[in-house]
Amino acid sequence: MADPILSVSRRTRSTPYSRRVTAAGVGGYTVYNHMLLPTFFGTIEDDYWNLCNDVQVWDVSCERQIEIAGPDSERLLQLMTPRDISQAVIGQGMYAPLCDEDGGIINDPILIKFADHDWWVSIADSDVRLWARGLARGLGLDVRIREADVWPLAVQGPKAEQLVTRVFGDEVPGIRFFRSKMLEYRGRPMMVMRSGYSKQGGFEIYLNDTSLAEPLWDELFDKGRDLNVRAGGPNLIERIESGLLSYGNDMTYRHNPFECGLDAYIDLDADIESMSLPALRALAGKHEHQLVGLVFDEPVTFDNFTVYADDRAVGDVRSQVWSPRYRRYLAMAMMRRDFLRDHKSVSVDGKLGTIVDLPFDFDAIVGGEKQ
Amino acid sequence: MADPILSVSRRTRSTPYSRRVTAAGVGGYTVYNHMLLPTFFGTIEDDYWNLCNDVQVWDVSCERQIEIAGPDSERLLQLMTPRDISQAVIGQGMYAPLCDEDGGIINDPILIKFADHDWWVSIADSDVRLWARGLARGLGLDVRIREADVWPLAVQGPKAEQLVTRVFGDEVPGIRFFRSKMLEYRGRPMMVMRSGYSKQGGFEIYLNDTSLAEPLWDELFDKGRDLNVRAGGPNLIERIESGLLSYGNDMTYRHNPFECGLDAYIDLDADIESMSLPALRALAGKHEHQLVGLVFDEPVTFDNFTVYADDRAVGDVRSQVWSPRYRRYLAMAMMRRDFLRDHKSVSVDGKLGTIVDLPFDFDAIVGGEKQ
């Protein structure tokens, strides 16, 4: 039976690049922040090799920018995240889980200090705008919160720097990871950051004039022809191999950052006012689950995501993919910590898998077998 | 080119009915509240006639129930909606826009007073849970807010009452519109309400035990065979013909209830504390846009949703469908009110359309031409 189509409507919002995405032969979408996000163009595997070898242009408009501006903007943002944001530099991106008073993860955005008292929260898939507005209203804070008219376009892959330099000029190579510069495109300054949802390197261009969306797309393809540029999107194979987490998949509001291995982004000892810190301080080291990797030696399919040890349910699979490079089936699973202490193998839908740490250490897993 | 598929993941949450939906041959999905919502099984037109003539079972689990309970639950809900909820009766459903301090629509749920100080907010597609939690935290309210473990299944169509009676018993016909009864299914009490997102009549069963999802689905199909029961979903043709609005399509957070014709659900004169009422009182009669119907005599397709009068942009199309019954192409469009005062026709992507009031009055539109 054919895969179900996505019924597109105004509610599954199109983007300034959608006509080009369609013309490029998009094969699948997901819906992310009520907006279309392309998932593949050729096959996921073809896209993977192109991303790893060459360069791709991704319509990631769905990474909506929630702008929080005004005198109380830092105070509100610090309440929302347990990561200390006091040392942020203008133009810097900062990965920061947002957590509620129970420590549950509301979102895991990149926070960008765009100017003094003007932040962009580059969000994963939940309505952060509503949470921020509710908090601000309830607390009587002096902030302005809106979904900014900004439409990120990612250029990812080993040849991304070369391509973005051809379009945005010689300042591009000097941009460090998670830093940005305001660079002109057709006379209009736009933020260009070294970032993106892959480990193949690249940039995100924060387009702020929809009339320039198609010219920018076209110029990237014109100037990237010899680089084998193609349309792509966040690639399931690449992101799982690279251990990049996906909010809504690998973690939800029912999980806390410790369970997801995000300890490094929680400043437990900081002297800051953050609504989740009391709960997180109490939880640290005592959380019940842990996200781990599972490795299967064969291609598998699951009808049921529950992870078993003998007859006990000990976790569930959150993401999964066949890795053509390592010839292993990889999964991320949220598991009971007490079980992890003295077990190394499990079964999912009758298939035997091995538990490994995240991110995957392929040298240990496959030795010399890499394709 | 084939329609793009939906790439399903854990983030686009499956439901307790998903295996049955797949087995029934679902043809398309949309994603609604981060959850799969089937859009058609045969064709949208085949589904339409089945819905209008017989009976359908819809997996509308994506109508998530946000439970707001505790001593301050009424206070919080009343802050969130400009509709006076003080007279609500236990078991009653109440359509109520939720609006922010500017009057913008956050969601348009059915509020259900489940018990004293225990409300279910049966939501359209936005994260009301985050907004409610933000407000409650900021205001220090004594409430508990959670996404309830409840999975609505709709039974819709002229034979729905007959089918639901066969499964839930003789109390079903006595349930009035937007009222409910707690009825037992295999010994477990569940709320059964006369409601649903069609004008063909029917019920919504608020399943509260996932282990009963497949037995309930199967029993409805077994007992409905002679009624020509089929799997379906909210039907684009039927809902537009019936003038049912869709949040995210016909209205968004950038619109207010007056623009969407929801005046009847705003209690401007009530002595209640509701955060949107000051803004709505100031807006009443002065809103800039109005949702109207557009009728085209031929099947049309639009590459561009902008509504023009001569060379002026005067609105945009939000929803659209071909009506096989009336042989007209129907659209809902958000239009500038000043333009509507003295114009009756427009063009969209070069096609000429006539402006009509909502809901569509087909006697006036097609006279005796109904199929």
Side-chain angles (χ1 to χ4, degrees):
Chain A
M1 197 179 297
D3 283 317
I5 68 159
L6 173 68
S7 297
V8 172
S9 67
R10 294 297 301 264
R11 190 174 51 73
T12 60
R13 298 179 290 178
S14 294
T15 85
Y17 312 105
S18 287
R19 293 200 301 187
R20 292 296 188 267
V21 165
T22 299
V26 62
Y29 284 116
T30 187
V31 179
Y32 200 94
N33 284 323
H34 316 280
M35 191 168 278
L36 298 176
L37 172 60
T39 48
F40 65 92
F41 286 80
T43 63
I44 291 177
E45 189 170 332
D46 288 345
D47 287 4
Y48 166 80
W49 291 114
N50 175 243
L51 169 62
C52 295
N53 294 329
D54 299 309
V55 55
Q56 287 182 346
V57 176
W58 298 358
D59 174 3
V60 287
S61 298
C62 67
E63 290 173 6
R64 305 305 302 142
Q65 307 305 305
I66 306 304
E67 184 173 13
I68 302 184
D72 290 331
S73 53
E74 281 79 15
R75 186 177 159 209
L76 176 58
L77 260 180
Q78 189 64 82
L79 273 176
M80 293 164 67
T81 179
R83 181 168 182 185
D84 184 351
I85 62 168
S86 61
Q87 304 306 314
V89 171
I90 289 176
Q92 180 184 3
M94 192 181 241
Y95 178 79
L98 307 183
C99 299
D100 65 22
E101 57 266 58
D102 305 320
I105 305 175
I106 298 285
N107 202 282
D108 70 325
I110 309 293
L111 307 182
I112 302 164
K113 186 171 182 171
F114 188 71
D116 278 326
H117 311 302
D118 188 352
W119 294 73
W120 289 4
V121 185
S122 186
I123 61 171
D125 182 34
S126 71
D127 294 337
V128 169
R129 183 183 149 274
L130 294 183
W131 194 50
R133 286 195 68 160
L135 286 167
R137 168 79 188 189
L139 294 166
L141 299 182
D142 186 1
V143 290
R144 298 180 303 283
I145 298 167
R146 66 176 188 125
E147 186 177 296
D149 194 13
V150 170
W151 312 86
L153 190 68
V155 185
Q156 298 286 296
K159 300 176 184 166
E161 182 175 292
Q162 214 177 335
L163 178 53
V164 175
T165 300
R166 289 180 188 177
V167 176
F168 282 89
D170 290 338
E171 289 200 71
V172 168
I175 301 174
R176 287 182 293 147
F177 183 67
F178 264 28
R179 296 298 169 106
S180 66
K181 283 195 173 142
M182 294 299 290
L183 299 177
E184 287 200 359
Y185 182 71
R186 303 206 176 180
R188 180 147 183 128
M190 294 179 193
M191 189 168 67
V192 178
M193 183 177 283
R194 192 184 289 268
S195 56
Y197 193 64
S198 85
K199 293 264 183 184
Q200 305 309 312
F203 295 83
E204 288 175 301
I205 302 159
Y206 288 76
L207 182 92
N208 54 17
D209 179 342
T210 56
S211 74
L212 295 178
E214 293 183 353
L216 174 60
W217 178 284
D218 292 342
E219 192 167 334
L220 286 164
F221 279 83
D222 286 346
K223 293 190 170 164
R225 203 165 296 144
D226 62 309
L227 305 177
N228 198 22
V229 64
R230 292 196 212 158
N235 185 276
L236 186 63
I237 302 168
E238 199 280 337
R239 80 106 175 147
I240 292 184
E241 284 184 356
S242 297
L244 294 171
L245 305 190
S246 165
Y247 184 72
N249 284 311
D250 312 308
M251 51 186 161
T252 74
Y253 68 85
R254 298 177 194 271
H255 302 115
N256 64 60
F258 302 119
E259 294 178 318
C260 307
L262 301 178
D263 310 46
Y265 305 101
I266 312 300
D267 288 315
L268 283 180
D269 300 326
D271 183 23
I272 52 177
E273 195 192 347
S274 177
M275 62 191 284
S276 58
L277 272 180
L280 292 173
R281 285 175 184 139
L283 269 168
K286 302 192 197 77
H287 51 290
E288 289 181 20
H289 301 91
Q290 192 74 52
L291 194 69
V292 298
L294 300 182
V295 179
F296 300 82
D297 286 340
E298 306 286 338
V300 292
T301 54
F302 306 135
D303 279 331
N304 186 322
F305 296 129
T306 306
V307 180
Y308 287 97
D310 303 319
D311 290 339
R312 279 192 306 160
V314 292
D316 72 321
V317 171
R318 306 298 313 180
S319 297
Q320 44 163 333
V321 81
W322 172 250
S323 161
R325 189 187 297 272
Y326 300 105
R327 313 293 302 168
R328 292 292 185 283
Y329 200 82
L330 306 173
M332 297 194 202
M334 189 61 82
M335 304 277 294
R336 280 178 34 195
R337 270 179 93 213
D338 57 357
F339 171 82
L340 291 173
R341 268 191 285 275
D342 40 24
H343 293 82
K344 279 290 157 208
S345 64
V346 291
S347 78
V348 181
D349 214 29
K351 288 89 177 179
L352 207 70
T354 304
I355 301 168
V356 299
D357 288 335
L358 288 174
F360 294 100
D361 173 355
F362 291 106
D363 283 341
I365 294 169
V366 301
E369 291 181 48
K370 181 171 164 175
Q371 303 288 298
Chain B
M1 197 179 299
D3 283 317
I5 67 158
L6 174 67
S7 297
V8 172
S9 67
R10 295 296 302 263
R11 190 175 51 73
T12 61
R13 299 179 288 179
S14 294
T15 85
Y17 312 105
S18 287
R19 292 200 302 186
R20 292 296 188 266
V21 165
T22 298
V26 62
Y29 285 116
T30 186
V31 179
Y32 199 94
N33 285 324
H34 316 279
M35 192 168 277
L36 298 177
L37 171 62
T39 49
F40 66 91
F41 285 80
T43 64
I44 292 178
E45 189 170 332
D46 287 345
D47 286 4
Y48 166 80
W49 291 114
N50 175 244
L51 170 62
C52 295
N53 294 330
D54 300 308
V55 56
Q56 285 182 348
V57 175
W58 299 358
D59 174 3
V60 287
S61 298
C62 68
E63 291 173 6
R64 305 306 301 142
Q65 308 303 305
I66 306 303
E67 184 172 14
I68 302 183
D72 289 331
S73 54
E74 282 79 15
R75 185 175 160 211
L76 175 58
L77 260 181
Q78 189 63 83
L79 272 176
M80 292 165 67
T81 178
R83 183 169 182 186
D84 185 351
I85 62 168
S86 61
Q87 303 307 311
V89 170
I90 289 176
Q92 179 184 2
M94 190 182 241
Y95 178 78
L98 307 183
C99 298
D100 65 22
E101 58 264 61
D102 305 319
I105 305 174
I106 298 286
N107 200 283
D108 71 327
I110 310 292
L111 307 183
I112 303 163
K113 186 171 181 171
F114 187 72
D116 278 328
H117 311 302
D118 189 353
W119 294 73
W120 289 4
V121 185
S122 185
I123 61 172
D125 181 33
S126 70
D127 294 336
V128 169
R129 183 182 150 274
L130 294 184
W131 197 50
R133 286 196 71 158
L135 286 167
R137 168 79 187 189
L139 293 166
L141 299 181
D142 186 2
V143 290
R144 297 180 305 281
I145 299 166
R146 65 174 190 128
E147 186 177 296
D149 194 13
V150 170
W151 311 87
L153 189 69
V155 185
Q156 299 285 297
K159 300 176 185 166
E161 182 175 293
Q162 215 177 332
L163 178 54
V164 176
T165 301
R166 289 181 188 176
V167 176
F168 282 88
D170 289 340
E171 289 200 70
V172 168
I175 301 175
R176 288 183 291 147
F177 183 67
F178 264 27
R179 296 296 170 109
S180 65
K181 282 195 174 140
M182 294 301 288
L183 299 178
E184 286 198 0
Y185 182 70
R186 304 205 175 181
R188 178 143 184 131
M190 294 181 193
M191 188 169 68
V192 177
M193 183 176 284
R194 192 184 288 269
S195 57
Y197 193 64
S198 85
K199 293 266 184 185
Q200 306 309 311
F203 295 83
E204 288 174 301
I205 302 158
Y206 288 76
L207 181 93
N208 53 16
D209 179 343
T210 55
S211 74
L212 295 177
E214 293 184 352
L216 175 59
W217 177 283
D218 292 342
E219 190 167 336
L220 285 163
F221 279 84
D222 286 346
K223 293 191 169 163
R225 204 165 295 144
D226 61 308
L227 306 176
N228 198 22
V229 65
R230 291 197 212 158
N235 185 277
L236 186 63
I237 302 168
E238 199 278 340
R239 80 106 177 149
I240 291 184
E241 284 183 359
S242 297
L244 293 172
L245 305 189
S246 165
Y247 184 72
N249 284 310
D250 311 311
M251 52 186 161
T252 74
Y253 68 85
R254 297 176 195 272
H255 302 114
N256 64 60
F258 301 119
E259 294 178 318
C260 307
L262 301 179
D263 310 46
Y265 305 100
I266 314 299
D267 288 314
L268 283 180
D269 300 327
D271 183 22
I272 52 177
E273 195 192 346
S274 177
M275 63 190 283
S276 58
L277 272 180
L280 292 172
R281 284 173 183 138
L283 269 169
K286 302 192 196 78
H287 51 289
E288 288 181 20
H289 301 92
Q290 192 75 51
L291 194 69
V292 299
L294 300 181
V295 179
F296 300 82
D297 286 340
E298 306 285 339
V300 294
T301 54
F302 306 134
D303 280 331
N304 185 322
F305 296 129
T306 306
V307 180
Y308 286 97
D310 304 320
D311 291 339
R312 278 194 305 160
V314 293
D316 73 321
V317 171
R318 306 298 314 181
S319 296
Q320 44 162 335
V321 80
W322 172 251
S323 162
R325 189 188 297 272
Y326 300 106
R327 315 289 305 165
R328 294 291 187 282
Y329 200 84
L330 306 174
M332 297 195 201
M334 190 60 82
M335 304 277 295
R336 281 178 35 193
R337 271 179 92 213
D338 59 354
F339 171 82
L340 291 173
R341 269 192 284 277
D342 42 24
H343 293 82
K344 279 290 156 207
S345 65
V346 291
S347 79
V348 181
D349 214 27
K351 287 89 176 180
L352 208 70
T354 304
I355 301 167
V356 300
D357 288 334
L358 288 174
F360 294 100
D361 174 355
F362 291 106
D363 283 342
I365 293 169
V366 301
E369 290 180 49
K370 181 172 164 174
Q371 301 291 299

